[in-house]
């Protein structure tokens, strides 16, 4: 098997010599909802929009693992702060309700 690293270096791997080597698949944590894997590798880049890296993301990503979850991040301190953030969804009915109240108060 031939692979190329991020720095463009090629590496040759002989599967007969490395029998533990196996294929892996990447999915987003939300598309994995309802799925389980023995081991989960989580890429948590703190530079993404804060709504994408939240308590909900952490729960969904980590709870996919039945045996082990490993988190890879660029900034442990920021990751802890962002995973402590709860992001709530807003329903269209809530927005519609606010618009009605706003009109009644002369806000539109």
């Amino acid at each position: 098997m031939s692979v190329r690293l991020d720095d463009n270096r090629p590496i040759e791997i002989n599967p007969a010599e490395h029998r533990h080597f196996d294929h892996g698949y990447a999915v987003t944590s939300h598309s994995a909802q309802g799925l389980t894997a023995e081991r989960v590798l989580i890429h948590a880049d703190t530079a993404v929009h804060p709504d994408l890296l939240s308590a909900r993301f952490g729960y969904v990503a980590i709870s996919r693992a039945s045996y082990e979850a490993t988190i890879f991040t660029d900034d442990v301190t920021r990751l802890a702060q962002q995973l402590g953030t709860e992001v709530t969804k807003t329903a269209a009915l809530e927005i519609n309700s606010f618009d009605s109240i706003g009109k009644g108060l002369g806000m539109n």
Side-chain angles (χ1 to χ4, degrees), residues 29 32-40 59-67:
S29 63
Q33 282 185 323
L35 302 177
T36 303
E38 271 191 28
R39 290 177 175 80
V40 174
Y59 172 77
V60 171
I62 291 171
S63 65
R64 301 307 93 207
S66 62
Y67 177 72

Side-chain angles (χ1 to χ4, degrees), residues 51 54-56 81-88:
D51 287 354
S54 63
R56 176 175 283 145
Q81 292 168 349
Q82 286 179 271
L83 290 181
T85 304
E86 189 60 48
V87 177
T88 58

Side-chain angles (χ1 to χ4, degrees), residues 71-90:
I71 301 173
F72 296 88
T73 187
D74 59 326
D75 188 332
V76 168
T77 303
R78 273 186 73 190
L79 177 64
Q81 292 168 349
Q82 286 179 271
L83 290 181
T85 304
E86 189 60 48
V87 177
T88 58
K89 293 182 179 181
T90 304

